[in-house]
Amino acid sequence: VLTNALDDAALNSLVLRTARGYQEQVGGKTSAPKEPKEDSKKEVEPGGFISFDPFPSTDQLTQAALDLAGESSPNLMVISGGDWKANVGIARSNPETMIIDLNQPLPCLDENGQPDLTGECLGSETAMPGNYAAMEFAFEDAAYLAGVVAARESRGGALGIITGSFDCLECDRYITGFTNGARSVEPDIEIELGYISEDEVGGFDDVASAKTFAEAFLAVHQPTVLLPVGRGATMGMVEAACEAGVKVIGAGVDITAERPDLDQDCVMASITADVARAVEEAMFFFAAGTNPPIITYDLQGGGVTITDEWRLSSTKRVDTNDFYAEAEIAVLTDQVEPCPEGCGGAGVADSTEVADGEESETAD
């Protein structure tokens, strides 16, 4: 099991616990794998379960996957927070190892099974390695509802979105869904977008820097509600918002559950995914030999959700229930498309521009 240190620690822990638990349930192999090299960062546990220490970037996570495939030839690798292009290649080069790629869209491949950056994806259905499976979360569904809640709370005020870096496809899903949801309530609502850094490590690795950036962003743009999409650095932005008296909507983990010490009226909601279910189902399909190339977890199936602290807030400014109910029905019945044209997809260029003429900012 490989996890990305740029992701929230609670999320990584959940992936590890779920994988270990299911491996024990199905009676995983009892003989210990080959001992790692002295300089290896992976920890070998009894029962054939191997976990790598979290790595600080996706590139290093890719190298960890290559090392693991080459040294131990595991039956199954669960990779959380990796790069689909590299992981598909690793699967093709190691046909005896099943790779479950968490939080990835269906890889965009050409007819030869190679990454297709043109976006045509003609080989995604026919040229996918049979030992690769993607588990995708439709965060945009819940983010759309979060945008509705935020727009109703703002009553004409600005909304803010801060994310880690430009090239985060997962973040694109949050941003696009949230923006479309907000504009379904107020078409002309002002939405400010900021990027912490131009690179992944700088954008998601430093909680303190994320907090400092958020403090400056809030002071300049003064949004009523902030959506921080910072993976491992999200909590720094949440703290900045709560300290500034700005409402916040979490992305990725349940903020209230992870930080019960925060002001109860600060956190309006959190956009979350049923990661444990995805890991367990992926391992079940592997054990049964019936793995599909991709499974999408969306709002309709309960794979992504939004918590409802906003319903209990003592300071909420307007009634939102009817707007929320209508929006939820619209998403569940496909009356709206929270993430049109495949935003956040493997073969689609980053589309995190919020609107023509609106200015985004990046930390120096």
Side-chain angles (χ1 to χ4, degrees):
V1 177
L2 302 97
T3 58
N4 196 326
L6 302 181
D7 287 331
D8 186 272
L11 179 66
N12 286 336
S13 177
L14 180 61
V15 171
L16 288 167
R17 288 198 315 272
T18 305
R20 180 184 289 110
Y22 193 83
Q23 193 260 4
E24 292 173 352
Q25 288 179 43
V26 298
K29 114 181 190 184
T30 56
S31 59
K34 183 173 65 175
E35 289 298 314
K37 297 176 182 178
E38 290 185 3
D39 60 350
S40 174
K41 292 188 177 182
K42 65 178 173 291
E43 174 188 353
V44 180
E45 301 182 2
F49 186 97
I50 307 173
S51 64
F52 270 71
D53 292 334
F55 281 69
S57 72
T58 301
D59 289 342
Q60 290 177 304
L61 188 63
T62 297
Q63 186 59 52
L66 285 168
D67 291 345
L68 180 57
E71 292 177 12
S72 301
S73 300
N75 299 114
L76 172 68
M77 275 200 285
V78 178
I79 303 176
S80 178
D83 175 4
W84 68 264
K85 294 183 288 293
N87 295 341
V88 169
I90 294 170
R92 184 177 290 107
S93 300
N94 298 272
E96 299 302 317
T97 296
M98 178 69 199
I99 290 181
I100 294 172
D101 209 355
L102 284 174
N103 201 14
Q104 297 286 2
L106 181 67
C108 182
L109 305 179
D110 61 23
E111 293 173 308
N112 298 315
Q114 298 300 315
D116 183 0
L117 300 183
T118 69
E120 293 186 13
C121 311
L122 298 179
S124 292
E125 298 292 341
T126 59
M128 187 73 64
N131 59 324
Y132 176 91
M135 315 301 284
E136 176 186 46
F137 296 105
F139 290 113
E140 64 272 15
D141 288 359
Y144 184 92
L145 301 181
V148 169
V149 171
R152 287 294 290 167
E153 171 67 21
S154 72
R155 297 188 68 181
L159 303 179
I161 306 172
I162 303 176
T163 187
S165 65
F166 294 95
D167 57 353
C168 172
L169 297 179
E170 172 193 338
C171 303
D172 191 16
R173 288 175 175 267
Y174 285 105
I175 293 168
T176 305
F178 183 82
T179 300
N180 288 336
R183 292 197 166 137
S184 73
V185 176
E186 293 188 32
D188 298 323
I189 192 168
E190 181 181 357
I191 303 176
E192 300 290 346
L193 174 61
Y195 296 91
I196 296 174
S197 175
E198 294 182 356
D199 68 275
E200 182 188 53
V201 175
F204 300 109
D205 189 45
D206 192 333
V207 176
S209 293
K211 182 176 182 180
T212 299
F213 180 87
E215 289 170 342
F217 179 93
L218 296 171
V220 171
H221 299 296
Q222 300 184 345
T224 305
V225 181
L226 177 69
L227 173 69
V229 189
R231 294 166 62 182
T234 293
M235 285 302 175
M237 294 184 277
V238 170
E239 290 177 359
C242 291
E243 290 171 6
V246 175
K247 303 283 188 181
V248 67
I249 292 176
V253 296
D254 186 337
I255 300 297
T256 300
E258 192 165 336
R259 289 291 304 274
D261 58 302
L262 293 173
D263 181 355
Q264 292 184 356
D265 280 327
C266 172
V267 180
M268 295 189 68
S270 293
I271 301 162
T272 64
D274 195 345
V275 174
R277 172 182 158 197
V279 173
E280 192 164 301
E281 288 187 354
M283 295 184 75
F284 169 81
F285 288 127
F286 161 73
T290 57
N291 54 287
I294 187 168
I295 300 178
T296 299
Y297 293 88
D298 56 15
L299 187 72
Q300 191 170 35
V304 295
T305 57
I306 175 174
T307 60
D308 63 351
E309 288 89 341
W310 56 273
R311 295 185 192 272
L312 305 175
S313 173
S314 62
T315 62
K316 69 179 180 180
R317 302 168 66 173
V318 294
D319 181 64
T320 305
N321 290 317
D322 290 344
F323 282 83
Y324 182 91
E326 290 175 6
E328 185 176 37
I329 291 172
V331 174
L332 291 173
T333 57
D334 297 324
Q335 296 178 49
V336 299
E337 192 174 5
C339 198
E341 300 179 5
C343 76
V348 180
D350 183 27
S351 59
T352 51
E353 183 179 2
V354 172
D356 292 338
E358 289 192 4
E359 198 172 308
S360 65
E361 61 181 75
T362 307
D364 292 331

